[in-house]
Amino acid sequence: MAKRISWDELFMSIVRLYSKRSTCKYIKAGVVFMLENRILCAGYNGPPKNEPHCIEVGCAKEDEHGKKLPAGSGLCRGAHAEMNALTNAHKQHVDLRGGVTVYCTHSPCNDCAKHLVGLGIKEFVFEKEYKEKEGKLAIQLLKRRGVEVRQFKSRKEVKI
């Protein structure tokens, strides 16, 4: 008898699939907001609707020589996956308050973490750690506010 994949494996497979919509040169992120194993909303990192993508006009976070500018330059034209998912939820009148688990390809930045604790999410599950210094600050903020934070470690790659 075939073994079913776990809920974590299922949701991480979904966020990986969403991340494939990203046009960012550096980070391809996807996210789903879950309540009782139901998807409430999802998103991926990219620019606002009808704005040009980096693959069309070049990366705004690179200087004229193609060198990546430091984090926090404020020049990125994309919104993070979490922010795009929140926007999608708002447009559809989806209530994200209370008991929500967020699955994401990456740990959050500090700004996204602030919004997530404001929502009162209960858990944040990520696969890859956001390496910038603010990534560690974001995880500390989530934990300080009572959010369970887990890094997903796949025992095997789940094929989609």
Side-chain angles (χ1 to χ4, degrees), residues 53-74:
H53 290 266
C54 295
I55 59 174
E56 299 165 344
V57 296
C59 179
K61 290 186 352 181
E62 293 178 343
D63 66 18
E64 61 275 1
H65 305 292
K67 184 178 176 191
K68 186 179 177 191
L69 299 171
S73 65

Side-chain angles (χ1 to χ4, degrees), residues 2 19 32 45 48 55 77 79 93 100 105 109 118 121 132 143 150 153 157:
S19 75
V32 292
N45 59 321
I55 59 174
R77 65 177 54 87
H93 307 287
V100 172
T105 52
C109 74
I121 68 165
E132 304 293 338
K143 288 180 176 181
R150 294 189 290 122
K153 300 281 189 183
E157 183 66 26

Side-chain angles (χ1 to χ4, degrees), residues 111-147:
D111 282 340
C112 288
K114 291 175 201 174
H115 290 283
L116 295 171
V117 297
L119 281 174
I121 68 165
K122 75 170 189 176
E123 185 176 23
F124 192 95
V125 183
F126 67 94
E127 190 166 42
K128 299 172 190 159
E129 187 176 351
Y130 186 66
K131 295 294 184 183
E132 304 293 338
K133 178 185 175 187
E134 70 170 291
K136 292 189 185 338
L137 295 173
I139 289 175
Q140 290 171 3
L141 171 62
L142 292 174
K143 288 180 176 181
R144 203 168 47 247
R145 301 305 302 158
V147 176

Side-chain angles (χ1 to χ4, degrees), residues 2-160:
K3 183 180 178 219
R4 296 191 322 172
I5 64 173
S6 70
W7 288 112
D8 280 352
E9 289 169 325
L10 174 64
F11 302 141
M12 291 310 296
S13 295
I14 293 168
V15 299
R16 286 186 206 116
L17 192 57
Y18 264 92
S19 75
K20 293 178 186 227
R21 290 281 305 153
S22 172
T23 58
C24 180
K25 181 177 181 178
Y26 295 102
I27 294 179
K28 298 196 179 301
V31 68
V32 292
F33 285 64
M34 307 298 302
L35 181 63
E36 298 174 1
N37 296 328
R38 283 187 351 233
I39 297 174
L40 298 175
C41 65
Y44 55 91
N45 59 321
K49 188 174 182 175
N50 298 322
E51 285 295 306
H53 290 266
C54 295
I55 59 174
E56 299 165 344
V57 296
C59 179
K61 290 186 352 181
E62 293 178 343
D63 66 18
E64 61 275 1
H65 305 292
K67 184 178 176 191
K68 186 179 177 191
L69 299 171
S73 65
L75 298 176
C76 182
R77 65 177 54 87
H80 290 186
E82 299 94 327
M83 292 300 102
N84 278 329
L86 292 175
T87 300
N88 293 339
H90 178 73
K91 286 181 191 176
Q92 298 299 316
H93 307 287
V94 175
D95 187 358
L96 298 175
R97 292 175 294 180
V100 172
T101 297
V102 178
Y103 284 84
C104 193
T105 52
H106 295 76
S107 60
C109 74
N110 209 36
D111 282 340
C112 288
K114 291 175 201 174
H115 290 283
L116 295 171
V117 297
L119 281 174
I121 68 165
K122 75 170 189 176
E123 185 176 23
F124 192 95
V125 183
F126 67 94
E127 190 166 42
K128 299 172 190 159
E129 187 176 351
Y130 186 66
K131 295 294 184 183
E132 304 293 338
K133 178 185 175 187
E134 70 170 291
K136 292 189 185 338
L137 295 173
I139 289 175
Q140 290 171 3
L141 171 62
L142 292 174
K143 288 180 176 181
R144 203 168 47 247
R145 301 305 302 158
V147 176
E148 183 181 342
V149 179
R150 294 189 290 122
Q151 185 169 10
F152 174 75
K153 300 281 189 183
S154 177
R155 285 174 264 134
K156 63 182 183 299
E157 183 66 26
V158 179
K159 299 293 181 188
I160 302 174

